[in-house]
Structure formats: structure tokens, C-alpha cells
Amino acid sequence: MNTADLGLPVDVPSTALFTDQYELTMLRAALKAGTAGRRSVFEVFTRRLPDGRRYGVVAGTGRVLDAVENFRFDADVLRFLREKGIVDEETLDWLAEYRFGGDIWGYAEGEVYFPGSPIMRVEGTFGECVLLETVILSILNHDSAIAAAASRMASAAGERPLIEMGARRTHELAAVAAARSAYVGGFTTTSDLAAGFRYNIPTVGTSAHAFTLLHDNERDAFRAQVDALGRDTTLLVDTYDVAEAVRTAVEIAGPELGAVRIDSGDLLLVAHRVRQQLDELGATETKIVVTSDLDEYAIASLAAAPVDAYGVGTQLVTGSGHPTASMVYKLVARAESGADGAPLVPVAKKSSGGKTSIGGRKWAARRLDDYGYAEAEVVGTGPVPEDLADRQLLVELVKGGTVVAREPLDAARDRHAAARANLPLSATQLSRGEPVIPTEYVHGGSGS
């Protein structure tokens, strides 16, 4: 399922202005110089992972495909550019006909990546490719950061389900993207209905403290909720006294009570006490859900607690301290001239301060050890070594301007679970460390 097929009213009709002004001024200058039509190769990569992270997670690929399809300069957008004097008439005429007609290759959504991994490769004329820089980076940087945090939380949670509930902690549209990325990273459900509507992610939710406070007493609140939602609902038990609330909840719903939610206090201690109390009351199948500013470390600390599910908000939608993946979009190869068939030559920025890049159109493969686990991310130019030919990571996403790799979101979610399981065991450690496998570079030819 994808937004283009659904035609949902929440879709943005044009993504053309989700860009920085210098993309258009570069295009204007390139058109004037006669270089806008040169064949070019741009790559998305990150020079380093966030401090302490062992791997990254590719997320947002499906949204990038939607954005590329919707990158159109309609009459209103062109009028704005003309009135503000951002580009000249020649450039406006060029933009009016803009349709991306190139090719895009990339790591499949849900795959893991490492420093230097060519996460996405965009090929076409300079003009058509350079315009996509900002929108591609804004999607991949945000979504991959959220997915990486979600993946760490999923690892810490083990088999226990995770509920995404961060909509109130971020921008309303970012919340939808965050819920999508969290699902890719291993979360099970979301509280955000827009995410459920747009991406078919399972949604959940019952009540907040306001519902309990609305009623004259907790018993009346629980009775109203059970009458409306059934005995298998989840009752919030920490508004007043937890022990009394649990007792009242079981009296009203009986042992068929679905779950209780704890949102405050010493979660480890309270969860043990609530589990003991529920069992003594005969509600042995009633589950315990915990919330309250959880992150991967808090989740890991509750591994021995009798907890059945976690709800995570703020720390998830802010990337658990790392709200961006620090990806960049760089020109790595371009044609020698504007002539048809002119060969590609590698280009790269030379800079101090860790901002250098490696020129050339790259491939990537993951080498496995004798036990079938990843041992290195191999990135190279030129021919792919025979022993890595069946381990290549880039897949074709767009061919000649047409999207060729749409897939259900569950496919990306399953892919991530498999990719994470294929990493060395230390990948799931929450302690600080270097990337779990090294990146090795193989240089073998020109940029073509």
C-alpha cells in the first residue's frame, strides 16, 4: 500500500518547494552555462554514525518515491518563483516541464547501513538530480533517525510489543512519518490515526488520566470504559492509588480484563506489585503495559519485570537523542562533457575537518563470515568482485523516471528484522561502541 495509490487527501500535492533556494539558483547558472544537461551521479551517504550507535537503518524510501513523483512545478509555484525573482524566465520555462527522468538505486528500505554506505544513488542530468537534494535528505535523515531509535528499542524489548505514541511530541506531519519509521524499525502499533489511515499501521488506544478525572470516582470511570469498550480494554491504573485501582479494575471487568497501564512511578517495582496483585485476584491473563518517557535504556532495565508491552513517545520521535542521521547528498561523478555518451569521471570535494568524500559511482555489498553473519560493508567503484556479486545491496528504485520498486510497508519491516539478525550479536548492545562491522573501500576504475 502506498500514498500514491490511495490518493489520500493528506498527500502534499507538490513537493517542488520542499527544497533550498540554492538548488534553483545552481540550476539557473547551469542552464546559462550549458552544463545543466550533463549526465551526473549523486549519492546519499553518511560519514559517521551518531555517537555510540553500532548501525543505521534505512527508512523513508517509500516516501522518497512519492516525493519524486510529486516533484512538479505547478502554476502557483511558478508564480511564486517569478514574483520573488528567484529564477529567470528561461529557468521557469525549464521548471514548468520538469519531470524526473533519471534512475535511482538505493539500499532497500529496512536495510542497515554503515559509514560510507551509498544509501541512495541518483542518476540523470545535473539539473534534474540537483533539485531533489533537499527533499531526499529531509526524508531520509528524519525517517532513518527514528527507525534507528526504534530498532534499538525493539532489540531491548525482545519479543514484547512496542506501541508508538509520540504524536503529541512533534510536528503533526512529522508524527505520521515517525510512526511509519517506527513500524519499519520494529514497533507493532501506533496511537496516531493519520499513520493508520495513510500507511495501514495497526492503531491502538483507550483512555488517558483526563477520562478518570472526568468522573466522580475511579470506579465510575472504569465502569464507563468497560461498558463502552468491553472487558478486554486497557485500564489506566495510576491516577490515584495503584493497588486500589487494580482491585477496582478486576472487580468491574473480571479476570477477562485485557490489560492495565502504568504511566508513572518506579515502573520496575510497581510492575512486580501489580503482577502479583492481578494473579492473586485471578486475573492471570491480564497484561501490563508501561509508558512514561521510556527509551531503549529504560526498556532494557525492565527486561526482568513482568511487563507485556511498552508505549514510547518523546524519545522515539526525537531519535532518542539523535534526531538526524547526518546524511549528505554529493555529486560523485559527472560526464566529461555534454556530448551524448561522454564518459563519467569521478569528482569529490577535498576538505579538512572530516568533510571529504570519495568520488566515483559506487556499488556496495556485505561480506559474510563463515557462520553467515555480516563481517564487512564493502564499497567500491568499477567491477564488482565475483565473490560479492550475489551480496550487492543497491536495488533499482526508479528507472527512466518511473518508480519500479513499490512494496508494502510490512516488507520493509520484515527486511529490517532479517538484516538486524544477520549482524554480529554485539550490534544489539546499548553500550557505546564503534560500528559493528567496518566499511572497506575497493577502488577499481572510473566513475562510469
Side-chain angles (χ1 to χ4, degrees):
M1 178 176 293
N2 59 75
T3 56
D5 289 344
L6 291 173
L8 300 177
V10 286
D11 275 345
V12 177
S14 170
T15 53
L17 291 185
F18 289 171
T19 191
D20 292 306
Q21 181 167 318
Y22 79 169
E23 316 291 8
L24 297 185
T25 53
M26 282 192 289
L27 170 65
R28 176 179 178 175
L31 287 171
K32 188 172 183 63
T35 53
R38 280 194 180 183
R39 181 184 171 207
S40 300
V41 180
F42 287 82
E43 287 176 355
V44 176
F45 62 93
T46 183
R47 296 183 176 96
R48 64 192 63 85
L49 297 178
D51 188 32
R53 296 286 170 90
R54 306 297 182 91
Y55 61 92
V57 181
V58 178
T61 308
R63 297 208 307 122
V64 167
L65 300 181
D66 288 342
V68 170
E69 282 193 333
N70 290 325
F71 206 91
R72 303 283 187 269
F73 292 83
D74 58 28
D76 290 337
V77 170
L78 293 170
R79 185 179 305 110
F80 164 77
L81 296 175
R82 179 180 289 109
E83 291 174 353
K84 298 299 180 181
I86 294 170
V87 292
D88 59 10
E89 288 299 321
E90 178 189 4
T91 307
L92 287 170
D93 290 343
W94 192 94
L95 294 174
E97 302 299 322
Y98 180 86
R99 299 290 186 274
F100 179 74
D103 302 327
I104 299 178
W105 290 71
Y107 280 38
E109 188 159 18
E111 184 57 83
V112 297
Y113 69 86
F114 299 92
S117 297
I119 295 162
M120 186 169 286
R121 190 175 71 221
V122 182
E123 304 183 38
T125 66
F126 176 84
E128 65 183 338
C129 295
V130 74
L131 293 184
L132 299 177
E133 175 183 6
T134 304
V135 70
I136 287 177
L137 286 180
S138 66
I139 293 171
L140 292 181
N141 268 316
H142 173 269
D143 289 23
S144 296
I146 304 305
S151 178
R152 286 162 60 85
M153 293 173 188
S155 292
E159 297 300 316
R160 298 171 178 176
L162 290 157
I163 308 163
E164 186 283 313
M165 46 198 307
R168 64 193 63 194
R169 304 301 189 197
T170 189
H171 184 279
E172 65 273 17
L173 294 181
V176 181
R180 183 187 183 280
S181 299
Y183 190 69
V184 170
F187 274 58
T188 310
T189 54
T190 180
S191 65
D192 192 285
L193 289 178
F197 176 61
R198 183 178 263 199
Y199 298 116
N200 203 31
I201 301 170
T203 60
V204 294
T206 50
S207 67
H209 292 102
F211 185 76
T212 301
L213 296 170
L214 168 69
H215 294 81
D216 294 337
N217 55 62
E218 204 164 41
R219 179 176 294 274
D220 288 349
F222 288 174
R223 170 61 64 191
Q225 185 173 327
V226 170
D227 286 347
L229 302 179
R231 295 177 184 272
D232 63 346
T233 190
T234 299
L235 296 175
L236 182 58
V237 295
D238 72 331
T239 306
Y240 304 117
D241 179 85
V242 172
E244 181 61 30
V246 170
R247 186 162 38 251
T248 302
V250 176
E251 285 179 9
I252 291 172
E256 298 86 10
L257 175 62
V260 295
R261 178 163 74 95
I262 307 166
D263 188 52
S264 59
D266 184 335
L267 297 178
L268 179 62
L269 175 63
V270 176
H272 277 287
R273 288 178 175 174
V274 168
R275 181 73 272 160
Q276 181 179 354
Q277 186 180 9
L278 287 169
D279 291 347
E280 290 172 350
L281 294 170
T284 57
E285 300 301 315
T286 298
K287 300 186 183 309
I288 297 175
V289 180
V290 296
T291 53
S292 184
D293 285 332
L294 299 178
D295 61 10
E296 60 265 47
Y297 301 102
I299 291 169
S301 74
L302 293 169
V307 171
D308 298 286
Y310 306 93
V312 188
T314 303
Q315 293 301 318
L316 175 69
V317 299
T318 56
S320 194
H322 297 288
T324 177
S326 298
M327 295 177 187
V328 294
Y329 183 98
K330 296 297 181 183
L331 181 67
V332 297
R334 50 90 174 162
E336 280 186 339
S337 69
D340 290 343
L344 288 174
V345 293
V347 294
K349 175 183 178 181
K350 294 182 179 180
S351 173
S352 60
K355 281 198 168 186
T356 57
S357 56
I358 298 175
R361 181 181 184 271
K362 299 175 195 68
W363 51 263
R366 192 161 297 146
R367 192 173 67 238
L368 306 182
D369 63 17
D370 292 339
Y371 300 95
Y373 289 95
E375 68 173 11
E377 191 88 338
V378 185
V379 177
T381 57
V384 180
E386 189 174 328
D387 62 320
L388 295 175
D390 62 348
R391 300 297 307 166
Q392 294 190 71
L393 293 163
L394 278 80
V395 298
E396 195 168 29
L397 302 172
V398 176
K399 182 176 183 179
T402 300
V403 173
V404 295
R406 291 210 184 277
E407 62 181 4
L409 194 57
D410 279 325
R413 173 185 169 85
D414 293 343
R415 181 180 296 113
H416 176 63
R420 188 175 64 201
N422 190 240
L423 295 176
L425 187 59
S426 57
T428 61
Q429 292 178 340
L430 297 181
S431 58
R432 292 185 179 276
E434 297 300 312
V436 70
I437 61 174
T439 303
E440 300 177 359
Y441 292 97
V442 178
H443 299 289
S446 69
S448 58

